[in-house]
Amino acid sequence: MFDRPLPADTPLGPFQGHPIPVFSAKGKNSKLHARLTCTRVRSDGAVTSEVPLNADTIGRMCSRCASHGDWGRPDSGVGLFLRALGGIGLLYQLQQYTETDPDCAMDQKEVERAAEVLRTEPVFEEDEEHDDEDWEVRDAAEHLREEVVCAWRDAARSLHLAQVTVAAFPWLADWARPELALKEQYLETLRGLAALFVTPAGLLAAAAAASMDDPELPSGESAFAAIGDSKQVARRLRSMWFDWQSKARSSWGLPGDSLFIHDVVHGIRQSRKGYAEARLAAERLLVSWEDEARRVASAADTGATVAVTVHLPEIQEDETHWQRRHERGLLADLDDWMIGVLLIHLTGTDWGHRQLTVRVPRLIADRLLSPSSLLHCEPATATPEAAAAVAEASPLSPGVFDDTAVHQRRPLTADHLRLLRSIGTAEDELYIVFSTDGGTEVLPFPELERRVGRDWRGVLIASSADLPAALLDPWSGELGQRPEDGDRWWPERMRDADTPLVGEGLGLNSGAQQAAWLVFGDYARQRERNLRLLAVARGVRDLRTLDAGYDQFGRSRGLPSAVWHGLLAHGWELELEPFEAPGRSGWKPDGSGIPLGVLADVQVYAANADPRFQGKGHSPFCSHTRERGVVADDDLLTVADLLGGKDFDWCSKCSGYAIRRLTDVQLAHYRAAHRLHDIAQQLDPDRGGYDPGRFEQLAEQLRELEKWDPEGEGRPYSEDARQWRRIVRELLSQGNSGRS
């Protein structure tokens, strides 16, 4: 049943006739495939084409691709629509949990017998063999109870997912209505079977137990002397009370469990004097609590009922366990008592919007409406205005994502983002968006969700997956393949100013190589993805806006580590000695006072850079910051700030900061400054390296450097340009003086 191909009569709505890419063998009537890797297509003779999405195209689809294929890009409108239908989407859900589904068949008589067994108290007999048989019957009944309740939960989840999908694509409503009706009928049948295991009196008693205040505990009673002093007795009795009330409030009735009594006398030998008295006293205390709960329940007016609307939580993936994933939300997190209330007292359902209506006695209603309730509940109202207040889903159609020209795009909504999240890779993507408030921006998916949740109005222009291959493929080819020697993945530090590759590790090209090479797993796919993300992120003005928060384990989400290495260079790569003021300070050599020029505004990112706060500053790549890249709380400085600050306390392992990769213009000035500084050192007699015989060679280099523009903008009369020429002329004069 899992492999149900897309029916030819499926309503396509606004996607009727939408072009989709296909692969097929040569031939007019050959089958169409969603991907070239399909095992049913001969890749050597396959051709690529675009065909309109219609009934004829659906009829020609390969059955495997029609069930699981991604027709079009997964994050495009048509791709999301077809994905919502295939796989475990709508077509699969419509077949699940119906009367005709043999996997979900339940024998009502068997369920009734199991419910009768569980309603009777277990009796212990002297005949062990007969007693074992009774317990086997009871265990089988409990297992069947769990099976029926789980089937109801799963059927409700399936109906919810189907209705949500139909709401997102409303042109499917008439087509899916008959099968949705079958699912609703079978869900009600399962609810009736599960309700056989629950009694209204038990739910009422459990609600009464939950409403009871903490009792006065007889910690000074002599019967508990075997436990210890009054403080020890009070601690054990208080623990028994909390355990009993906690179990009662989450069960279908009062627990009456002797395990609570055993905990009170735990650690005391049965042969010890006073053990039997302490156990009997604990039993009497437990019976008194249950009697009080029954008294409160019987005093409640069961004739006066209250209608309550229960809002179920949205289904979400729970990633709290590092080895497995499971879902939370809807009915998954509810305790037995809440499930029992829904099974017995349910009067109205709207599974699509996760809203249920129950009519319950006042005692149960008080618990549902209390602030400590597990669910958001409110008094129900049957007014048409309240029913109309339920927000309808924003239907998906061309123009939301990249199905149309930019001028035809429509604003994003929370429903659109929920669909986008369903493709799995959306959370790790970067999106180019436009709004009248912020203009064109690059945002990670979590930030996009937060903004839409705050009534932000904007459109999605593109994601990194939309970048044209005509630009990416040549760029990737220029970077070359990853060397087999892992030591060559990192650029070698060049300290010789005469070397043309000095500062190479600071440049954009080195960053692109690291983004492409520092990947694991599927090398080709991860390499392409990293380069796409890098290309989009390079245009971001402040990298802190790319912070996508943390996952359940405290790890930074968002960009892969390799992409951060593509955006930032380690601080130790940056040598600022040429730009420092002349004059020796302790062991530190002289600077040459060369103007920073285009390097002044290069961004520097660090954690805890402010020297007024305790602790050292760390780079986004430092192990002290978990190598998590840039986050919103990091400090943003410039190279000019580094040069002017003397009180920074940087980490000795990571140099304390990382800098934004240098553009070609910035890298050229960095190299020119190091060449000029090297010449200044060679012309300085105090450094012992001056050779008058090399002056002509150095003078020729100085005359060449005199034409350099540190601003990189053709501004020969700027302050930096005048300072640059002044340094060059002073060096020429200094060299001439040294020769005479």
Side-chain angles (χ1 to χ4, degrees):
M1 295 180 64
F2 185 79
D3 297 322
R4 180 181 177 182
L6 187 66
D9 65 343
T10 304
L12 302 176
F15 297 107
Q16 177 77 32
H18 193 282
I20 58 173
V22 297
F23 301 92
S24 63
K26 295 179 180 179
K28 187 175 181 180
N29 297 318
S30 58
K31 288 291 184 180
L32 304 179
H33 303 268
R35 50 185 178 270
L36 194 58
T37 56
C38 177
T39 57
R40 300 182 182 181
V41 63
R42 294 183 58 184
S43 58
D44 54 347
V47 295
T48 306
S49 61
E50 278 195 350
V51 297
L53 182 61
N54 52 35
D56 293 337
T57 299
I58 294 175
R60 291 181 56 195
M61 285 181 178
C62 157
S63 60
R64 183 185 298 273
C65 293
S67 300
H68 306 288
D70 289 330
W71 301 90
R73 274 205 354 270
D75 58 350
S76 64
V78 67
L80 285 168
F81 169 59
L82 294 177
R83 184 186 181 92
L85 293 175
I88 57 173
L90 180 61
L91 297 176
Y92 173 74
Q93 300 300 340
L94 289 179
Q95 300 174 88
Q96 293 289 292
Y97 298 102
T98 65
E99 293 284 0
T100 59
D101 185 0
D103 297 332
C104 301
M106 294 286 177
D107 187 339
Q108 182 164 352
K109 291 184 178 181
E110 184 182 359
V111 174
E112 291 174 351
R113 287 194 297 268
E116 184 64 30
V117 169
L118 296 178
R119 276 196 292 269
T120 59
E121 292 293 331
V123 178
F124 299 94
E125 300 188 9
E126 295 182 0
D127 185 354
E128 287 189 12
E129 182 177 350
H130 191 272
D131 191 45
D132 290 343
E133 292 178 359
D134 290 343
W135 278 110
E136 288 179 4
V137 172
R138 192 171 188 84
D139 288 344
E142 290 178 350
H143 178 75
L144 182 59
R145 178 183 61 189
E146 293 300 318
E147 186 178 342
V148 173
V149 174
C150 287
W152 177 72
R153 276 176 161 159
D154 293 342
R157 174 187 177 275
S158 178
L159 178 60
H160 163 71
L161 294 176
Q163 290 182 345
V164 167
T165 303
V166 172
F169 310 106
W171 56 88
L172 296 172
D174 293 339
W175 175 77
R177 185 173 291 113
E179 293 179 277
L180 288 175
L182 292 176
K183 292 179 68 65
E184 292 173 353
Q185 293 171 9
Y186 189 63
L187 178 62
E188 186 62 21
T189 300
L190 288 175
R191 186 178 75 86
L193 293 176
L196 294 174
F197 297 97
V198 189
T199 62
L203 296 176
L204 198 62
S211 67
M212 291 169 58
D213 297 328
D214 293 350
E216 292 187 10
L217 301 174
S219 56
E221 189 173 321
S222 59
F224 294 111
I227 297 177
D229 58 27
S230 60
K231 290 184 179 180
Q232 292 175 313
V233 173
R235 184 167 58 251
R236 293 204 180 191
L237 294 182
R238 190 179 302 111
S239 176
M240 184 177 77
W241 161 256
F242 288 148
D243 292 344
W244 175 83
Q245 190 181 46
S246 176
K247 187 170 183 179
R249 65 158 46 101
S250 61
S251 303
W252 291 343
L254 300 178
D257 197 337
S258 60
L259 180 62
F260 304 125
I261 301 171
H262 174 75
D263 290 342
V264 172
V265 295
H266 178 69
I268 305 175
R269 296 192 307 273
Q270 296 184 18
S271 59
R272 180 177 174 181
K273 182 180 179 180
Y275 173 86
E277 290 81 355
R279 185 177 180 89
L280 287 174
E283 288 179 358
R284 290 194 301 269
L285 186 60
L286 185 62
V287 169
S288 70
W289 295 342
E290 299 208 347
D291 289 342
E292 176 63 16
R294 293 189 184 95
R295 186 195 66 77
V296 173
S298 62
D301 184 5
T302 58
T305 58
V306 179
V308 177
T309 298
V310 179
H311 299 270
L312 300 176
E314 185 177 357
I315 294 177
Q316 294 180 341
E317 288 284 343
D318 181 13
E319 302 177 2
T320 55
H321 196 285
W322 67 277
Q323 286 184 327
R324 67 180 187 274
R325 288 187 175 185
H326 67 278
E327 285 185 345
R328 303 183 66 89
L330 206 64
L331 302 173
D333 301 324
L334 305 187
D335 59 24
D336 288 344
W337 183 84
M338 192 67 227
I339 290 293
V341 170
L342 296 179
L343 291 174
I344 293 292
H345 299 291
L346 192 64
T347 59
T349 61
D350 183 356
W351 292 104
H353 292 101
R354 309 186 313 281
Q355 293 186 7
L356 308 179
T357 303
V358 294
R359 182 165 289 279
V360 294
R362 169 59 66 181
L363 185 61
I364 294 179
D366 290 341
R367 180 179 174 188
L368 291 176
L369 298 173
S370 68
S372 61
S373 176
L374 292 176
L375 298 175
H376 170 53
C377 301
E378 59 186 1
T381 176
T383 60
E385 293 79 7
V390 178
E392 293 296 332
S394 302
L396 179 65
S397 61
V400 174
F401 298 114
D402 62 344
D403 308 280
T404 62
V406 173
H407 73 277
Q408 295 176 329
R409 297 290 165 85
R410 298 191 295 112
L412 283 169
T413 67
D415 293 308
H416 297 150
L417 294 183
R418 274 191 286 271
L419 283 172
L420 196 58
R421 178 185 282 277
S422 68
I423 66 176
T425 58
E427 292 184 75
D428 302 324
E429 187 58 88
L430 292 180
Y431 295 92
I432 304 172
V433 300
F434 175 80
S435 66
T436 54
D437 294 333
T440 304
E441 301 174 273
V442 175
L443 300 177
F445 187 77
E447 176 62 22
L448 194 56
E449 283 187 314
R450 284 192 289 269
R451 293 199 183 186
V452 170
R454 298 194 298 263
D455 297 329
W456 174 83
R457 187 174 177 84
V459 298
L460 192 151
I461 304 298
S463 69
S464 67
D466 297 318
L467 299 182
L471 290 177
L472 288 173
D473 290 349
W475 181 35
S476 179
E478 292 170 1
L479 299 176
Q481 291 300 313
R482 181 173 65 183
E484 293 184 4
D485 183 4
D487 293 337
R488 296 178 57 195
W489 297 357
W490 302 90
E492 182 181 355
R493 291 186 67 183
M494 300 292 182
R495 295 184 176 273
D496 188 353
D498 291 332
T499 302
L501 295 180
V502 64
E504 183 69 14
L506 298 169
L508 293 176
N509 186 68
S510 176
Q513 285 182 334
Q514 292 187 41
W517 293 351
L518 299 178
V519 297
F520 303 95
D522 188 343
Y523 174 70
R525 186 176 64 84
Q526 291 293 338
R527 172 190 172 106
E528 179 185 355
R529 177 173 175 269
N530 285 357
L531 290 179
R532 288 179 177 275
L533 291 171
L534 176 63
V536 173
R538 277 180 170 177
V540 176
R541 183 174 300 178
D542 185 349
L543 296 181
R544 294 177 297 180
T545 61
L546 300 182
D547 181 10
Y550 294 86
D551 63 13
Q552 300 282 357
F553 306 101
R555 297 175 302 203
S556 179
R557 296 163 55 187
L559 297 180
S561 175
V563 178
W564 283 120
H565 281 283
L567 293 169
L568 299 170
H570 288 280
W572 62 61
E573 297 277 359
L574 183 67
E575 294 284 354
L576 293 178
E577 181 183 312
F579 309 100
E580 295 175 350
R584 183 178 298 273
S585 175
W587 59 269
K588 197 172 183 179
D590 292 337
S592 298
I594 298 173
L596 284 171
V598 292
L599 298 174
D601 295 328
V602 172
Q603 294 177 342
V604 176
Y605 292 91
N608 194 32
D610 194 333
R612 295 174 298 176
F613 294 99
Q614 186 177 5
K616 294 182 178 293
H618 297 280
S619 161
F621 301 130
C622 184
S623 58
H624 291 97
T625 59
R626 300 185 182 182
E627 304 178 14
R628 41 73 168 151
V630 177
V631 297
D633 294 334
D634 282 347
D635 296 314
L636 176 58
L637 310 172
T638 63
V639 170
D641 295 329
L642 291 181
L643 195 62
K646 303 299 181 183
D647 298 325
F648 292 121
D649 187 13
W650 302 123
C651 170
S652 59
K653 294 182 178 180
C654 66
S655 77
Y657 55 85
I659 72 166
R660 195 78 179 256
R661 292 279 175 181
L662 303 184
T663 65
D664 291 344
V665 173
Q666 293 167 338
L667 184 57
H669 178 58
Y670 181 83
R671 288 169 171 168
H674 275 264
R675 285 183 60 199
L676 184 59
H677 178 59
D678 181 64
I679 293 174
Q681 290 178 315
Q682 295 185 52
L683 292 175
D684 186 358
D686 294 337
R687 302 191 186 188
Y690 177 56
D691 181 4
R694 294 191 61 232
F695 175 71
E696 287 301 330
Q697 180 182 358
L698 297 177
E700 182 179 353
Q701 296 180 28
L702 286 171
R703 283 189 287 270
E704 177 185 349
L705 288 171
E706 188 176 11
K707 305 173 185 177
W708 182 256
D709 179 10
E711 296 286 351
E713 298 175 352
R715 299 171 55 193
Y717 300 106
S718 67
E719 179 61 29
D720 285 348
R722 290 197 296 269
Q723 183 181 353
W724 177 277
R725 291 194 297 270
R726 185 165 54 249
I727 293 174
V728 173
R729 290 165 185 167
E730 288 177 355
L731 291 175
L732 285 170
S733 175
Q734 179 180 340
N736 284 320
S737 300
R739 296 178 63 190
S740 59

